Amino acid sequence: MSSQEKPASPLVRLFPLLGHKNIPWRREILAGLTTFLTMSYIIAVNPQILGETGMDAGALVTATCLAAAIGCFLMGFIADLPFALASGMGLNAFFAYSVVIKQNIPWEIALTAVFIEGIIFIFLTLFKVREAVVNSIPQNMKLAVTGGIGLFIAMIGFSSSGLIVPNEATMVSMGAFHIPTIITCLGVFLIAVLDKLNIRGSILIGIAMCSIIAWIYALSNPQAAADLGIYLPNGVLKFESISPIAGKIAWEHLLDLETFKTLFIIIVTFLFVDFFDTVGTLVGVSTKAGMLDEQGRVPRVGRALMSDALATTAGAALGVSTVTTFVESSTGVLAGGRTGITAITTGCLFLAAMFFSPIFIAIPACATAPALIYVGYLMLTSVKGIDLFNITEGMPAFITIAAMPLTYSIGDGLTLGVLSYVFINLIYNIFAGKDKREPVSWVMIILAALFVLKFILM
């Protein structure tokens, strides 16, 4: 530091954003708007997915927006980075379908698991464990988890739209082409074409157009539409209270041994998936923005991870699943966003969206299904980086990817993937020569031991 430079004040050290002297406000605000347009589909999709658990849809719209706003504000003020946060896709599906519905666990207990995950992440971030552990997990497994979640999300979209249906003979088969399935197909085609044309907000436009088509059908044939789960909005402006879902952390269940055993594996899975989803997003978006330092590290990554951990804890208290950094933040970064103003702008727009709950509640499943399918495709693109020609790496990755949609459980797919990775590599190392052995980190061995413990106890 030169003799003329003044040391940063305590307030600036706490909130680096305040240290900027010449912020390009127009560019940063437009970048925040761009990010919001590309990720605002979560306002419609999250209440539909979490609503399957019996949670109040109107309250979920408000809580989704509020949790996203808090996450964006934390990222903007504490980390001074242009990354936006909201309830994560895949994590919300795991919450609803794998935990609550499949295991018949009350959503209050699932929220408790998310809350505990957030608390654990806060401590892991404080002691810099989170950054250290990420280097111990094989890159192929990280990519496989992302790809497997993509297939799982896409399967939910295909199913909710009626494009695939249960079949006793073949397990699943193609469904009949009724109005919802036709609308879904149109939405997928529209989003794909818009994205190819580099039109911002392609997912949001796809949801909006499909919703309008569905509502026109409901207007012309209300009874037939109602039978298909399509309804007109009951108004435009309305603020829904979060009281039906907020503050429902079920601490008393932690004292019950059977419930705690179930919670344990749920927490571990939330930790694993959220851990690598957040770190991968931060690294990927920072790389696109040219923001990495000379060592290839994300600037203020500890603060970014802390923002993520605090947002997850706050989101669980408000009543929504894990809040995480969105890869759609890359759109705002490509639009010129470089400071926390971008994230704060996105957060302000989420706050404004809270007052339009009747519209978001009325968005039908056939309108959000294209978004699920398309997000699934985007997540599946991660598999291109997997070394499938190395069987000790490729086989566990394949099992992880295939098991998630086929077991209809992110947790089960992750369990099978970790176990197969550890067992295949350890057994191979017994017979392989010393110079050909594949290193297996203690982190993976501990995870495998925990999953084996799960099978024994449960």
Side-chain angles (χ1 to χ4, degrees), residues 197-246:
L197 294 172
N198 294 317
I199 294 177
R200 296 168 183 168
S202 57
I203 295 177
L204 181 63
I205 293 171
I207 291 176
M209 292 303 296
C210 289
S211 298
I212 291 171
I213 294 171
W215 291 336
I216 291 173
Y217 177 70
L219 196 62
S220 62
N221 199 336
Q223 187 55 52
D227 293 339
L228 295 171
I230 300 173
Y231 305 91
L232 289 170
N234 186 24
V236 176
L237 288 171
K238 186 180 180 182
F239 177 82
E240 295 280 355
S241 170
I242 62 173
S243 59
I245 59 175

Side-chain angles (χ1 to χ4, degrees), residues 333-348:
V333 167
L334 292 175
R338 291 296 182 274
T339 74
I341 295 298
T342 295
I344 292 169
T345 300
T346 303
C348 290

Side-chain angles (χ1 to χ4, degrees), residues 103-399:
Q103 299 185 46
N104 196 29
I105 292 174
W107 57 264
E108 293 88 346
I109 295 180
L111 278 180
T112 305
V114 175
F115 187 84
I116 294 172
E117 176 219 347
I119 296 296
I120 293 173
F121 266 170
I122 289 173
F123 284 102
L124 289 178
T125 305
L126 280 174
F127 293 103
K128 300 185 183 299
V129 175
R130 206 171 173 185
E131 298 102 301
V133 171
V134 71
N135 296 322
S136 302
I137 305 297
Q139 178 68 10
N140 288 312
M141 284 299 296
K142 299 174 194 174
L143 298 173
V145 168
T146 303
I149 293 174
L151 284 181
F152 181 74
I153 291 174
M155 187 170 181
I156 293 172
F158 282 118
S159 177
S160 64
S161 66
L163 280 167
I164 60 173
V165 294
N167 186 303
E168 290 186 7
T170 61
M171 292 188 285
V172 293
S173 61
M174 183 179 289
F177 273 73
H178 298 305
I179 292 296
T181 52
I182 294 172
I183 292 175
T184 296
C185 291
L186 291 174
V188 172
F189 302 151
L190 178 62
I191 292 172
V193 171
L194 290 176
D195 193 57
K196 180 67 176 178
L197 294 172
N198 294 317
I199 294 177
R200 296 168 183 168
S202 57
I203 295 177
L204 181 63
I205 293 171
I207 291 176
M209 292 303 296
C210 289
S211 298
I212 291 171
I213 294 171
W215 291 336
I216 291 173
Y217 177 70
L219 196 62
S220 62
N221 199 336
Q223 187 55 52
D227 293 339
L228 295 171
I230 300 173
Y231 305 91
L232 289 170
N234 186 24
V236 176
L237 288 171
K238 186 180 180 182
F239 177 82
E240 295 280 355
S241 170
I242 62 173
S243 59
I245 59 175
K248 303 297 183 181
I249 308 300
W251 295 113
E252 66 276 9
H253 292 289
L254 296 177
L255 303 176
D256 181 79
L257 182 59
E258 290 301 316
T259 304
F260 182 76
K261 287 189 294 187
T262 302
L263 266 177
F264 178 76
I265 191 62
I266 295 171
I267 293 169
V268 169
T269 305
F270 271 130
L271 279 168
F272 190 95
V273 176
D274 186 25
F275 190 104
F276 297 112
D277 182 68
T278 300
V279 172
T281 299
L282 288 174
V283 172
V285 176
S286 296
T287 301
K288 280 187 177 182
M291 296 171 64
L292 299 180
D293 62 19
E294 53 274 8
Q295 277 89 36
R297 296 175 301 190
V298 179
R300 298 176 295 283
V301 66
R303 289 172 173 263
L305 292 172
M306 180 58 75
S307 301
D308 185 273
L310 291 170
T312 289
T313 308
L318 292 170
V320 292
S321 56
T322 306
V323 175
T324 188
T325 308
F326 263 55
V327 72
E328 285 83 355
S329 300
S330 59
T331 59
V333 167
L334 292 175
R338 291 296 182 274
T339 74
I341 295 298
T342 295
I344 292 169
T345 300
T346 303
C348 290
L349 291 169
F350 270 112
L351 286 181
M354 288 193 302
F355 300 95
F356 297 90
S357 60
I359 294 176
F360 290 113
I361 293 172
I363 294 175
C366 60
T368 55
L372 293 172
I373 294 169
Y374 193 69
V375 170
Y377 151 72
L378 293 177
M379 296 183 75
L380 186 63
T381 58
S382 67
V383 304
K384 67 183 180 182
I386 297 175
D387 182 9
L388 293 172
F389 295 99
N390 180 354
I391 195 166
T392 57
E393 294 278 338
M395 187 65 181
F398 166 73
I399 290 173

